[in-house]
Amino acid sequence: MHKFRRDVGYKLRVLQHADKIGDVGKACRYFGVARASFYLYGRLSRCKSILI
């Protein structure tokens, strides 16, 4: 369960950082994630039963 919470927190930080700076590309480079993963995180975050 601890790893799941850590992963969820990481994904939320990536999304929040991109929202804060307004640039998905820079946020992805900063966190070292692919854009495809970023958009997957976004889709998962909209489905509250999965991510939140």
Side-chain angles (χ1 to χ4, degrees):
M1 187 65 173
H2 179 69
K3 183 179 179 340
F4 174 76
R5 282 188 172 182
R6 183 178 54 208
D7 290 345
V8 169
Y10 179 76
K11 292 172 183 177
L12 286 174
R13 282 195 307 273
V14 173
L15 293 170
Q16 290 169 345
H17 185 70
D19 189 46
K20 179 181 171 185
I21 65 172
D23 190 343
V24 172
K26 286 183 180 179
C28 289
R29 268 182 254 122
Y30 180 79
F31 281 93
V33 299
R35 277 186 190 231
S37 297
F38 174 84
Y39 290 114
L40 175 64
Y41 300 165
R43 283 198 315 266
L44 291 174
S45 71
R46 287 190 292 274
C47 182
K48 293 180 182 174
S49 64
I50 293 174
L51 187 60
I52 297 174

